[in-house]
Amino acid sequence: LFLAGAGYFFLRNEKLTLTENCNNQVKIPDYSRIYAEILGQPIALSLVPPMFQRHVSDPNPPRAIVYYFIGWSGTGKNHFTKLLLNKIYPEFERNGKSELVTTFTGTHYTGNFNKYRQGISNIINKKLKDCPRSTFIFDQVEHFPPGFFDFLSDFLNSSERNGIQYNMAIFILLV
């Protein structure tokens, strides 16, 4: 009985230390080495990392930040995104996944966008309620149905609504 209790206590505490926590998992990025990890893309390298760093280090940014990366398949949009997020979320850097990073893929949402609107909205609101510094990646944006950008603008044009902070969020759109 003692061993069972000790095992439960250990597993419970181990789960608490292994689960991500917004307060101690989001860190201020250091992009000094990112330039060595990306070949080419001088405009993206000169603009994006400093803006990203300013947004994450600001305790109360005026609004959420949006990045829109456009390019042919294989140009490095996903790679660049991963490098940016690795510097903010240690769990994402360790295994490429994080509860603080959510990806939506356009090919999964075909047809009338109204039938997906509430589900995506609920996910975004829940994630932002848990951690205002969450990131949302919208991959293959060109495949999202009409109405997607109007839907997304609701999150971008508000700093706080219904007790949820939107201004610290990061939205990355990949085309």
Side-chain angles (χ1 to χ4, degrees), residues 13 83 140:
N13 286 337
L83 289 175
Q140 301 177 357

Side-chain angles (χ1 to χ4, degrees), residues 3 14 40 46 51-52 68 70 72 74 83 96 99-100 107 109 120 124 131 136 163:
L3 290 176
E14 190 64 25
S46 67
M51 289 180 350
F52 216 77
Y68 194 63
I70 302 171
W72 296 106
L83 289 175
E99 291 182 25
L100 307 178
T107 54
Y109 303 97
I120 294 173
I124 292 172
C131 182
F136 304 94

